Each structure stands twice: as C-alpha cells, then as structure tokens.
Amino acid sequence: MRTILHVDMDAFYASVEELDDPSLRGKAVLVGGAFRRGVVAAASYAARKKGARSAMPMAEALRRCPEAIVVPPRRERYAEVSARVFAIFRRYTPLVEGLSLDEAFLDVTESASLFGDGEAIARAIRAAIRAELSLTASAGVASSKFVAKVSSDLEKPDGLVVAPRDPRELAAFLAPLAVDRMWGIGPKTAPRLRELGFKTFGDLAAANVASLALVLGNMAARAKELARGQDDREVVPFGDAKSIGSESTYEHDIHGFEAISRAVLSHAEIVARRLVAEKLRARTVAVKIKLADFTLLSRQASLEEPVCDTQSIHEVGKELMSRFPLQDARVRLVGVAAHGLVEEPHTRPLFPDVERERRVRIERLVGAVNEKHEGAVTRATLLEEHRRRETWVGVAKEDLAKVVTDGEGPQRNDRDRRSRR
Amino acid sequence: MELVVAKKDLLRIATRMQGVAERKSTMPVLSNVLFAADGTSSLRLAATDLYLGLSGKIPAEIGKPGSMALPAKELVDRIKMMPDGPISLSTQESGQTVLKAAGSARRYTLRGMPGKDFPPLPQPAEGAPSLAIEVDVLQELIAKTHFSISTDETRAHLNSALFEWEGDMVRMVTTDGHRLSKMEVKVEGRQASATMLIPLKAIQELRKLCDEVASESQKGDRPQITIVQSGSSAFFQAGSMTFSVKLVDAQFPPYSQVIPQSFAKTVRAPRAAFTDALRAVSIAANERTGGVKLSLQSGTMRISSESPESGEGFDELPVDYAGETISIGFNAKYFLDVLAALTHDEVMLNLSGELDPAVLRPGDAGEKGAVHRDFLAVIMPMRI
C-alpha cells in the first residue's frame, strides 16, 4: 500500500507578505493584482475570518473586509520561497508532484526505512518549513492522492491529519465529510446534490451511479469511487507540469493593438523565464483575452519546434492575437500560456538553428542577470512599466557584460539548479 | 463469396495485413482486411490506413466469387486458433461470414462490411520508372539506420527515412536531430536517380516484408524487390505482394553538411567489449538524460556515469588510441543502437572537441571487399 502526503502551505502568498513585512503580521491581508478590478490571489487568515476568500473579486473582498491591506503580488518572490519549500520536500522523496507554488503530492512509500512512516515524515517536513522558512503548512497522510488532499484541508491552518489505511476505517473516516469537499464539486453542484439527498461522502459512496449522473454526468462513477477513497492515480514527479501560464486583469481596460501586444509581450517574458528556469520548452502557445463585457477569446497554435524564449512566444502570441476582432475592443484581461511542455534536449542539436539558439542564449543571459538583480533587464517596449527600476540598469549592464564575456553565467546557474534538485 | 484456403497461407498474409490496418481510424472500414475473390485460383487481400497500403494474393479454391472486408484483429485471432489444413470461408449478403476448419467442428462467425466500401488502393501510373534492389541490400539499409528515425510524429521530415538512389549507389539516411545514421551500398551496373522520404511506420512494415521474402527464398537465391515511384507514392513489389507508401512531402535536413570531414582524434575499440562496458555503465546513468562520459587516454577508454538518483557506474577497456586525454559526454543509447546494428569485430570512433560531433563506423570499413558498403553514424555530445 502506498503512502502519499499532500502538503499545502497556509495562505501562502499572504504569509510570505507577512513574513517580509512584519507590519502586516496578524492583519487582514489581501494579495491581488489591480486594485479595483482584480481578483484576490490570496487572503490571510485574518481576512478570511471576515469572509474574504481567494479567487473572489477584489471589490467583493474589500466590501466584506474594508480594513484589509491590499498588497500587489510578487510572484518571483513566491516562486523563490516555493523553491525552498520544494527543496525540503525532496529531502524525503524524489517523487514530488507540485500542483502549484504552494502545494504538492509526495509519494513517500519507499522513504519509510530512512525517515519513518508517513506521519513522521509529515511532521518532519512541517517542522522544517517552520524552522527554516518561518511559515506553516498543513498536511494530509493517506494511501491515495485524493484522500491525502481531502485530509490536508480538514484542520487547516497548521494541521496534520492522518487518514486510516484500513479500507473499512477509511470509509468510516470519509463518510461524514460534506460533498463540497469532493473533487470537482463546486458551489453550483453541491446544492443540487444536497437537494437529491446526497449530503456527505457516505451518501455518494452508497449512491446509485445512475441517480448521481443526473447531477454529475459522466463524473458520477468517479465521484462514487473517490468517496470510498479509491484513487489509483500516481504521484507524477516534478517537471511534468502540464502548462505554464501568466495572465493579468488590468485596472483600466486596455485598447489598441499596440497596448495589447505589449501586454502579451510582458506575459511572454514571464512564461519564457519560467520555461528557461525549469529547462522546459513548449510545443503549444496559447493566448487568452477577456473583453470588458467578459467575452472570452482564446486561441492556441502548435509549433513544429518547441520554444522557450520571449521573442518566439511573443511572435506566436501576436499572430494569434491578430485573429481576434480587437478593433476598438476594450480588454480587461490578457494571458499567455505554454502547453505541451517537453524537456530541453540534453544532447546538442545536429542541425542548429542559429537564430533560435541566439534567442535562447539571450533568454538565459537575461534570466541569469535578473536572478541576481530582480527585474534589472527587460525589453525596451516594456520599459514604461519598469521605469521605477531605472536605477538598477547600471548594475545590470556591468553584470551583463561579465556574463557575456566569460559566458559562465547561465551555465553556472544550470549547475546550481541541478544540484539543488 | 465462397472459398477454401490453406491456414498457413491465410495466417501469414492476414498477419501482414493486420500490421497496416488502422485500429483507431474514424473510418471503421480501415480496421478491416479486404478479401476479394475474382479469379478461380487465387484470393486477393488488401489493407490500408490511407497512407500505407498492402495487397497480396494467395492460392485459393474459389467456389463463388465476391468480396468482403473483415475486421483484421478478430480475423487473425481466429485463424490462429484453427487447426492446420484447409479453411473454408463463406459470406452472406448481410456481412455474416463463416470461417470453418475442414475436418473439424471448429467454426467462427464474424461480421464483415461490404467489399465495395473498402477504399481502392493507389496504383502506379503506367510506365512509371522502376528499380530492382536485392532484398538483402534493402534489409541492410534499414537495419543500419532505422533506430535513429525520430519518433516525433509532428516532425514529418525527421519521422521518416531518406532513401536515395544516386548513380549506382543506394543510400538510406535517418536522423532525429541529435544523431544521424547513413548506410550506402553500391549496386553495380544499375544506374538510377531517385529520392524519397519514407515514413517510419512504412519502414517498420517494409522491414517485416523484406524479412518474410528473405525467409521464403531458397538458399543461395538473392530475391529482389521492385521499387516504383509514381506520383506521391512509392510501390514496393515482391512476389505477389505490393506495398504502397504515401511518401513524406517535406525537406530532409542537409545531412551531408553535418558529417565531419576531419577529426582530431581516432580511437579503435573492440565492438563487443565496448558494447558490454557501455551497457553496464549506462544502467547507472541519469534516467532522464542517459548520459555517460567517455574519457580517453593513451591505450584506455574509461566509461563513467553519475546521477543523483542512481549513484555512479564505471568501467574501462583497452583501446587503440594514442592522442591526448579527452572527456566527452554522450547519450549511451545513441552508441548502443549503432553498436548493436554493426557486426564487425572492431569499431572506429572519430572525435574532435568536447562539443563536436563524434563519428562511429565499422573498424574495417573501406577494406577490400567485393561490394562497396559504407556505414557511418554521427552522434552529438551532451554536456555532462
């Protein structure tokens, strides 16, 4: 029988903000993009007590919790802390499947002889996160992914729940849980299930699939299995992320091809940076645009050669964008995503594409410099948005020159990264 | 349709057909094998996935002519279970088809589709140029190159083998973008000019077809395959079998430019010992990269691997090398594929710098021999 942990950082973005700025500690903190129109990316527990939730429109969260302090998200900082959290996970097993920056599944079945049982490992991981990062995490220990995830949520924040391994005890453990906790059952579906008398996991487990299907459709049989704790999905380790994306909701609608293209470029830059950092390339690039009236436009293109650099992603993005009727359109959200991720080839290419290699090299250089001096190098087109960092540029140039001349910058980073894994 | 055929003949040809029939097509008829009895003494079978087509004839006693398309996998499964000897096959208008073993009660009923629903296979144009090549030559071209065809179906130009006939030289070249294999054989007295890109799936089927023709030939015979290029297809004919291939319409990379013409270092190594040591060390290589390091110093090749997950591996073997010390990282599989395809006692490895391509070829290449045969593999290094 497998031993799987689900570890979930508590109010991760908000906790990182509190960590970095002591004046925020214990206060209602909302992390979110554009002030009036964005959505809440994370809410501290103080804000949650007042009814603010992540994914809630910022305006709604502020109505419920007017005293909240709104902090713009600093994704790179979260990614940095996340890397340290994941490094702690990997001390105990190589089988770490990250679901996002702040949660992961760990298969620790083979780690027992070294570190003890699942509960002992979960305790050790939570203790290490607290001691080394001053953050808290909740964990669930079970013999399947689904039960581990449900368990980690039961005593949040700072909780540890170990689900029974015996199937009969497990059924009894799951039976009283409310259907809302079921994977794929959201605020729209749950009330309909309750109307039909399915209030708990126990009700789902005992249900007739045909009657469940009235509400859940083709998910019915799966939901019944999960409600009994049956879930064979394996922990798929890091690197198998399905996609990397970046999007923003803007405080003021943007319009005009140039402005939208610039927004696409800024997201392409973020996506490219993550692709390069994780040594991945994308076969598919997708662009998403939401108009002021909430019409969602999205298109994607599959490429013959996988890409990982800003320029290539932006070129595809612009081409996709040009297929949308954006004349006079007011745009509230722009996003870029990379799908079909493949590992950067380890072996050198036999038929090098000089232009493509040059672009990848530039991306690595920029990444290496930015790693040292955050946001020091960007594209001229995006300078407007980065103007406040102007003072950094002098430093960056020297660094860039050094990296260019000794050519060691990105390689040194590659090596660092590999050893950290 | 009513007919009687020998189990042995039917099983052999139906198995070949199953390799071509498409299981997951949106056109259900493509998962079938066409049976067509129009003459009196032979049965024609055909299968296609619209890119590849295979047709062939076997001897049969035809009671009543007709045609029927029967599901390939089900058909083969049932023929296999039949006792040796004659099998009778009879079909009804409804599609119902009965397979019965003579002299036994064993019988299957299958549902077929009308033969007229089966798409016609392409035919070569009248007078299209044709070339004859010995089956053993084609077998060797494929055996020495098939492993470096890219399996990436989205890159059609690499997901295929380049077949070239230039003067009296026939050549097959394959590459996946990180390694390349080239085999050429001189066919004395046959001058021609042809270039075709044959998709991977066709190469796999062609290989089986060649093996079968070779295994059926008399000892000492050198059976031939006729190749006809017509329109966008190529036709490979051997005996009563015709294999048609929709050729890839793409540009094969300029391979001759990446074959190094000069080298700084030459190593001669015993093939068996090299293979053995590489295979041993590669099981400890990083699973994701398959990387091993080859370190050469005077008279010795050291092979080592290390990975955070699986520890380290090491071995060494005596080689013929007199140059300076050098270390280069490679994907072990790229070497093992080539070494397994070669039969020579010795292999020659040419190296230049750490980031330069390596060339692997038979050690006794170019030596006196009746026929000119030339093989080489280009393998790109990796950073270790």
Side-chain angles (χ1 to χ4, degrees):
Chain A
M1 191 180 269
R2 298 177 300 161
T3 304
I4 292 174
L5 268 52
H6 178 256
V7 185
D8 191 4
M9 300 299 293
D10 299 320
F12 183 56
Y13 297 175
S15 302
V16 172
E17 293 302 336
E18 290 184 40
L19 182 71
D20 290 351
D21 180 355
S23 73
L24 296 175
R25 284 181 200 164
K27 305 229 172 89
V29 177
L30 297 173
V31 178
F35 182 66
R36 290 174 301 117
R37 333 218 333 200
V39 291
V40 177
S44 70
Y45 280 91
R48 291 185 196 200
K49 276 192 193 128
K50 293 289 195 71
R53 292 276 179 276
S54 60
M56 184 179 270
M58 187 58 86
E60 168 71 10
L62 284 172
R63 205 176 48 71
R64 295 187 186 203
C65 181
E67 73 275 26
I69 302 166
V70 178
V71 185
R74 295 178 299 152
R75 300 202 190 268
E76 298 196 354
R77 171 69 179 142
Y78 309 146
E80 186 185 314
V81 179
S82 169
R84 297 179 62 190
V85 171
F86 276 67
I88 292 174
F89 294 162
R90 291 199 185 88
R91 288 177 202 165
Y92 297 91
T93 174
L95 299 177
V96 177
E97 176 183 344
L99 299 177
S100 60
L101 287 181
D102 60 346
E103 59 175 317
F105 285 118
L106 286 69
D107 186 332
V108 296
T109 313
E110 304 295 332
S111 312
S113 60
L114 284 173
F115 304 108
D117 64 7
E119 182 173 351
I121 295 174
R123 279 186 200 288
I125 288 175
R126 286 176 4 100
I129 291 173
R130 180 187 297 274
E132 296 170 32
L133 305 173
S134 306
L135 291 171
T136 63
S138 297
V141 184
S143 51
S144 69
K145 283 167 89 166
F146 175 70
V147 178
K149 181 153 165 85
V150 168
S151 302
S152 73
D153 198 41
L154 291 177
E155 289 183 16
K156 240 181 173 322
D158 202 10
L160 168 62
V161 173
V162 182
R165 297 175 74 82
D166 174 80
R168 222 173 295 164
E169 287 174 41
L170 176 61
F173 167 83
L174 293 172
L177 301 179
V179 287
D180 313 66
R181 294 186 184 274
M182 173 57 66
W183 179 65
I185 295 182
K188 280 194 184 144
T189 322
R192 295 184 54 204
L193 281 173
R194 275 193 287 270
E195 273 170 37
L196 291 173
F198 303 118
K199 299 190 175 76
T200 63
F201 276 33
D203 297 335
L204 293 179
N208 173 319
V209 173
S211 50
L212 269 188
L214 293 176
V215 181
L216 298 179
N218 54 12
M219 251 198 58
R222 181 88 180 112
K224 181 177 162 122
E225 277 174 20
L226 292 176
R228 295 171 166 187
Q230 293 166 354
D231 179 15
D232 296 332
R233 286 174 303 155
E234 286 184 16
V235 171
V236 183
F238 171 80
D240 300 355
K242 296 214 168 50
S243 65
I244 287 177
S246 168
E247 62 180 57
S248 307
T249 300
Y250 296 92
E251 189 168 352
H252 300 286
D253 289 334
I254 54 176
H255 54 93
F257 194 87
E258 282 307 310
I260 301 167
S261 165
R262 208 155 48 231
V264 169
L265 176 60
S266 79
H267 291 298
E269 198 176 66
I270 294 167
V271 170
R273 195 173 306 165
R274 283 193 51 201
L275 286 170
V276 168
E278 300 195 10
K279 298 186 159 210
L280 294 171
R281 294 188 180 189
R283 284 188 171 287
T284 302
V285 170
V287 166
K288 171 165 128 182
I289 287 174
K290 201 185 266 176
L291 303 180
D293 65 0
F294 286 84
T295 310
L296 186 66
L297 309 167
S298 70
R299 275 283 167 84
Q300 60 180 50
S302 289
L303 314 169
E304 195 167 281
E305 294 292 333
V307 296
C308 68
D309 65 283
T310 305
Q311 200 180 339
S312 304
I313 295 172
H314 183 229
E315 279 170 10
V316 179
K318 259 203 326 205
E319 149 65 21
L320 291 172
M321 229 182 85
S322 67
R323 302 188 202 167
F324 295 139
L326 294 176
Q327 197 91 37
D328 306 323
R330 306 194 72 82
V331 170
R332 57 177 279 127
L333 174 147
V334 174
V336 172
H339 303 283
L341 304 185
V342 289
E343 267 188 61
E344 184 177 290
H346 304 285
T347 301
R348 291 172 55 79
L350 196 49
F351 308 95
D353 177 333
V354 179
E355 169 61 15
R356 189 171 297 274
E357 296 217 321
R358 190 186 66 87
R359 290 178 181 190
V360 173
R361 220 158 44 232
I362 292 174
E363 199 68 50
R364 288 212 186 104
L365 286 175
V366 170
V369 174
N370 282 340
E371 194 163 311
K372 269 188 162 174
H373 308 288
E374 195 192 326
V377 179
T378 188
R379 287 181 158 64
T381 326
L382 296 176
L383 260 183
E384 197 65 6
E385 290 153 45
H386 289 255
R387 191 167 277 168
R388 59 204 147 89
R389 290 173 177 151
E390 227 162 2
T391 47
W392 287 90
V393 173
V395 184
K397 270 185 191 152
E398 275 167 30
D399 245 356
L400 193 59
K402 186 166 168 293
V403 171
V404 172
T405 48
D406 65 13
E408 264 297 303
Q411 288 165 31
R412 192 169 54 227
N413 280 311
D414 287 356
R415 227 168 282 148
D416 286 349
R417 220 164 261 127
R418 203 172 304 154
S419 60
R420 250 185 274 144
R421 261 183 212 169
Chain B
M1 182 173 62
E2 275 171 25
L3 54 94
V4 178
V5 287
K7 176 201 167 175
K8 178 172 66 73
D9 293 343
L10 186 58
L11 180 58
R12 185 173 47 79
I13 194 167
T15 308
R16 289 262 52 74
M17 296 290 157
Q18 193 191 350
V20 171
E22 180 72 83
R23 250 156 305 166
K24 292 168 292 194
S25 175
T26 48
M27 274 174 74
V29 75
L30 297 184
S31 62
N32 289 264
V33 176
L34 176 71
F35 281 63
D38 20 36
T40 52
S41 61
S42 69
L43 168 68
R44 188 169 68 87
L45 280 83
T48 180
D49 65 358
L50 298 183
Y51 294 96
L52 308 184
L54 183 64
S55 71
K57 280 183 181 164
I58 50 172
E61 271 175 50
I62 310 295
K64 197 167 138 196
S67 69
M68 185 65 71
L70 296 168
K73 181 179 183 304
E74 286 77 0
L75 180 72
V76 169
D77 288 348
R78 284 158 182 70
I79 301 170
K80 275 186 193 155
M81 298 309 287
M82 287 293 195
D84 288 340
I87 296 175
S88 71
L89 184 146
S90 63
T91 64
Q92 286 175 10
E93 198 80 6
S94 63
Q96 185 142 309
T97 300
V98 178
L99 282 175
K100 189 180 173 316
S104 152
R106 199 165 293 176
R107 185 181 69 203
Y108 292 106
T109 305
L110 270 171
R111 181 162 296 277
M113 298 172 81
K116 63 175 169 43
D117 291 355
F118 201 82
L121 266 50
Q123 299 295 329
E126 198 89 15
S130 80
L131 306 162
I133 187 172
E134 280 71 26
V135 168
D136 58 292
V137 171
L138 192 53
Q139 272 179 311
E140 184 170 13
L141 291 178
I142 296 174
K144 294 246 179 353
T145 58
H146 72 96
F147 47 82
S148 54
I149 299 176
S150 168
T151 52
D152 184 348
E153 288 175 9
T154 63
R155 306 169 86 191
H157 64 304
L158 302 183
N159 187 223
S160 51
L162 175 70
F163 178 76
E164 285 184 321
W165 196 310
E166 197 181 327
D168 60 358
M169 195 73 87
V170 288
R171 182 181 304 129
M172 197 167 271
V173 189
T174 65
T175 178
D176 62 7
H178 299 290
R179 52 171 167 167
L180 175 150
S181 311
K182 183 184 90 162
M183 175 76 208
E184 56 188 26
V185 177
K186 195 170 209 160
V187 284
E188 299 279 357
R190 265 167 287 167
Q191 295 282 334
S193 170
T195 298
M196 41 187 109
L197 262 186
I198 305 172
L200 174 61
K201 191 182 172 193
I203 289 287
Q204 288 159 346
E205 290 306 319
L206 197 54
R207 196 178 187 201
K208 292 182 208 159
L209 184 68
C210 287
D211 289 350
E212 196 174 288
V213 175
S215 72
E216 280 170 13
S217 66
Q218 305 291 320
K219 218 174 175 186
D221 250 18
R222 282 187 82 190
Q224 291 192 328
I225 278 190
T226 304
I227 307 172
V228 181
Q229 192 171 5
S230 172
S232 60
S233 295
F235 299 82
F236 296 83
Q237 294 164 339
S240 73
M241 300 283 268
T242 298
F243 179 56
S244 61
V245 179
K246 172 108 175 49
L247 296 171
V248 175
D249 181 19
Q251 191 66 44
F252 194 75
Y255 71 88
S256 52
Q257 291 173 16
V258 300
I259 298 175
Q261 299 303 318
S262 62
F263 318 95
K265 299 161 184 78
T266 297
V267 187
R268 286 176 179 275
R271 187 179 63 90
F274 186 21
T275 308
D276 187 47
L278 254 183
R279 191 174 292 142
V281 174
S282 71
I283 65 161
N286 184 323
E287 266 181 47
R288 286 175 35 234
T289 67
V292 297
K293 193 158 76 181
L294 304 187
S295 306
L296 286 153
Q297 55 191 69
S298 188
T300 307
M301 183 194 296
R302 299 199 160 129
I303 307 174
S304 58
S305 66
E306 57 174 272
S307 85
E309 290 90 30
S310 44
E312 293 174 10
F314 179 83
D315 201 0
E316 63 177 38
L317 64 148
V319 294
D320 180 359
Y321 177 68
E324 62 195 78
T325 305
I326 181 174
S327 278
I328 307 188
F330 289 103
N331 182 338
K333 185 180 185 302
Y334 293 173
F335 270 85
L336 288 169
D337 283 344
V338 176
L339 292 169
L342 296 178
T343 48
H344 310 69
D345 290 342
E346 192 182 63
V347 291
M348 187 165 80
L349 176 62
N350 294 120
L351 302 168
S352 291
E354 248 179 76
L355 301 177
D356 298 319
V359 173
L360 191 60
R361 52 178 116 214
D364 34 18
E367 277 178 26
K368 61 202 178 298
V371 192
H372 172 88
R373 286 175 136 70
D374 191 23
F375 171 80
L376 67 82
V378 182
I379 299 174
M380 290 304 288
M382 64 198 285
R383 209 175 257 141
I384 290 267

